[in-house]
C-alpha cells in the first residue's frame, strides 16, 4: 500500500507467493492495457480462480472480532495470500490482500479497506484510476444465491463510486 515492491528472501514463502502473483500479471496483463482494464483483469482472475471459503466465514459468524476464539481462525491460509495463490480458497481478507499485491506490481495505487458489509466484518479495496478513487470488492466477483451452492460471476462490485459502494459497504475509518 505504500508503493514499494517487496524484496522477498530467496527461497522463502514470500518469494514463492510473489512469483505466483507476478505470473498472474505476466499472463493476464499487457503494457497496452489501461489501469482500469488491469484492475478488471485482476477482478476476473480472482473470480475464476479463487473459491470463497463459506465454511470458515459461516463458522466465524457471530464471534466477536476482539475474542480469542476469533483469532484462532486467523491461522488459516484463507485470510492470507497463501489462500489465494496456493490453495485457491480464501475469504475477503485474503482476496483484498491479493488485489493490493497485484495492483502494486502494476504500480496502481490500491488500499485494502475494512468495515462491514451486509452486517458482517468485511474487507475490500479502493483503487486510484485516472485520478479517481473506486471501490473494488473482488470477494463478490462470484455471488451465490442464498440456499444454493452454485456461484455466478458478477461484475456488480467492480469500480464502484464511493456513494454506490456505501449502500453495502460501511468502512471502519480506523482500519484504513
Amino acid at each position: 500500500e505504500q508503493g514499494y515492491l517487496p524484496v522477498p528472501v530467496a527461497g522463502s514463502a514470500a518469494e514463492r507467493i510473489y512469483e505466483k502473483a507476478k505470473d498472474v500479471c505476466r499472463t493476464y496483463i499487457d503494457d497496452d492495457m489501461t489501469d482500469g482494464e488491469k484492475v478488471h483483469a485482476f477482478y476476473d482472475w480472482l473470480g475464476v480462480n479463487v473459491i470463497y471459503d463459506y465454511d470458515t466465514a459461516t463458522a466465524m459468524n457471530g464471534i466477536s472480532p476482539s475474542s480469542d476464539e476469533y483469532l484462532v481462525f486467523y491461522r488459516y491460509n484463507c485470510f492470507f495470500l497463501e489462500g489465494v495463490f496456493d490453495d485457491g480458497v480464501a475469504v475477503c481478507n485474503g482476496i483484498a490482500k491479493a488485489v493490493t499485491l497485484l495492483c502494486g506490481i502494476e504500480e496502481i495505487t490500491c488500499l485494502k479497506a475494512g468495515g462491514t458489509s451486509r452486517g458482517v466484518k468485511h474487507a475490500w479495496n479502493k483503487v486510484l484510476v485516472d485520478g479517481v478513487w473506486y471501490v473494488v470488492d473482488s470477494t463478490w466477483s462470484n455471488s451465490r444465491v442464498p440456499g444454493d451452492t452454485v456461484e455466478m460471476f458478477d461484475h456488480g462490485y467492480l469500480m464502484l463510486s464511493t456513494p454506490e459502494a456505501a449502500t453495502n459497504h460501511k468502512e471502519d475509518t480506523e482500519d484504513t
Side-chain angles (χ1 to χ4, degrees), residues 122-140:
H122 190 54
W124 60 89
N125 297 92
K126 295 178 178 180
V127 295
L128 184 63
V129 175
D130 298 327
V132 178
W133 283 100
Y134 294 96
V135 171
V136 174
D137 191 342
S138 295
T139 300
W140 292 354

Side-chain angles (χ1 to χ4, degrees), residues 22 33 84 97 105 107 117 167:
K22 289 193 321 188
M33 295 172 79
V84 172
K97 288 174 182 176
I105 291 169
E107 299 180 4
S117 181
T167 61

Side-chain angles (χ1 to χ4, degrees), residues 1-5 104:
E1 290 183 348
Q2 301 302 316
Y4 301 107
L5 292 177

